């Protein structure tokens, strides 16, 4: 087990109490509204990379996607499955499944991709981008939300991620170039910082990327 996987396993029990994961109903609706704007479709298979406890996978499923959330943390996946079961009503609830899996080892084909604060944890961004390119349709859009911290992460993060090349957050130009080298010619980004309705009102820089071929 790597330091990073152990870090997320350790945090899984209380992860839904952290900012950005303990969404109010108003914040959840704001995220759904924004995602509905940036995804050209709201159906088909969606891959949630590094899904954690499933907060955003469930939101994407509520939009209409058939969501497959993957994460390398067994405890995060266990929490995500519990939350999904808790959402099921008489009609079955959101269409979402969770797998303990490295996104670079996915198979099948997806019509859309979502990730949030994941790319900084990836040791080989090119390998991940290549895997996503291989396993998505030509019209697929990848929505990636990333944070550039005001100073390098500290505390538990420092031990878990200090050897990672993206520790502290990737510059948008770097991500754009990686995406382009692996078949994603179109990348746009915009800041979503200081938007309390999205639970991003803090001193860090939050960026939403929209990536496509």
């Amino acid at each position: 087990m790597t330091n990073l996987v152990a870090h997320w396993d350790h945090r899984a029990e209380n992860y839904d109490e952290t900012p950005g994961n303990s969404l109010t109903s108003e914040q959840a609706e704001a995220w759904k509204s924004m995602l509905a704007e940036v995804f050209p479709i709201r159906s088909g298979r969606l891959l949630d990379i590094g899904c954690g406890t499933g907060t955003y996978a469930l939101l994407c499923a509520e939009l209409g996607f058939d969501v497959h959330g993957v994460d390398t943390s067994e405890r995060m996946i266990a929490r995500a499955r519990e939350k999904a079961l808790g959402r099921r009503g008489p009609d079955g609830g959101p269409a979402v499944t969770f797998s303990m899996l490295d996104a670079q080892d996915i198979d099948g084909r997806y019509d859309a991709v979502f990730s949030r604060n994941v790319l900084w944890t990836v040791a080989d961004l090119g390998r991940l981008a290549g895997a996503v390119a291989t396993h998505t349709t030509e019209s697929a859009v990848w929505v990636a939300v990333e944070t550039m911290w005001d100073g390098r992460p500290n505390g538990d993060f420092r031990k878990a991620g200090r050897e990672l090349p993206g520790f502290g957050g990737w510059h948008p130009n770097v991500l754009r170039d990686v995406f382009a080298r692996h078949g994603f010619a179109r990348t746009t980004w915009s800041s979503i910082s200081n938007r309390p309705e999205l639970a991003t009102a803090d001193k860090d820089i939050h960026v939403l990327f929209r990536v496509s071929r």
Side-chain angles (χ1 to χ4, degrees):
M1 179 184 294
T2 66
N3 285 341
L4 201 59
V5 173
H7 169 88
W8 296 122
D9 272 349
H10 174 72
R11 296 189 63 194
E13 184 175 352
N14 299 314
Y15 193 61
D16 286 328
E17 300 171 11
T18 60
N21 294 286
S22 55
L23 300 179
T24 65
S25 58
E26 291 81 7
Q27 289 167 340
E29 288 302 314
W31 272 98
K32 284 168 61 177
S33 178
M34 184 182 70
L35 292 174
E37 292 177 7
V38 293
F39 280 119
I41 61 171
R42 303 179 200 175
S43 61
R45 298 190 72 209
L46 180 143
L47 174 69
D48 182 357
I49 301 172
C51 64
T53 60
T55 297
Y56 294 88
L58 287 164
L59 291 183
C60 290
E62 289 173 7
L63 285 175
F65 289 106
D66 180 359
V67 179
H68 182 199
V70 300
D71 202 289
T72 55
S73 166
E74 182 177 9
R75 292 185 181 178
M76 288 283 190
I77 289 294
R79 287 285 297 119
R81 288 171 176 162
E82 289 174 6
K83 285 166 68 174
L85 285 173
R87 296 283 188 94
R88 288 183 182 172
D91 298 327
V96 58
T97 58
F98 295 103
S99 300
M100 189 180 128
L101 181 70
D102 192 316
Q104 296 166 111
D105 298 325
I106 58 173
D107 57 16
R109 208 157 187 83
Y110 296 89
D111 305 292
V113 180
F114 177 79
S115 62
R116 178 181 173 274
N117 287 346
V118 169
L119 300 183
W120 76 270
T121 71
V122 178
D124 189 343
L125 272 178
R127 184 180 167 215
L128 174 61
V132 172
T134 297
H135 294 286
T136 50
T137 60
E138 286 297 316
S139 59
V141 167
W142 180 356
V143 174
V145 177
E146 288 291 309
T147 299
M148 290 183 285
W149 286 275
D150 182 11
R152 296 172 74 80
N154 51 33
D156 289 346
F157 278 116
R158 184 171 299 282
K159 179 179 179 181
R162 62 174 179 262
E163 304 301 326
L164 293 168
F167 188 57
W170 292 104
H171 190 280
N173 288 337
V174 174
L175 293 180
R176 177 200 61 196
D177 292 346
V178 172
F179 293 142
R181 286 198 302 271
H182 292 84
F184 295 102
R186 299 183 181 89
T187 298
T188 60
W189 64 82
S190 59
S191 172
I192 57 170
S193 298
N194 300 316
R195 292 182 58 175
E197 73 274 22
L198 300 176
T200 61
D202 55 33
K203 63 183 179 179
D204 300 321
I205 300 172
H206 304 272
V207 181
L208 182 142
F209 294 85
R210 188 180 188 276
V211 183
S212 62
R213 288 177 173 80

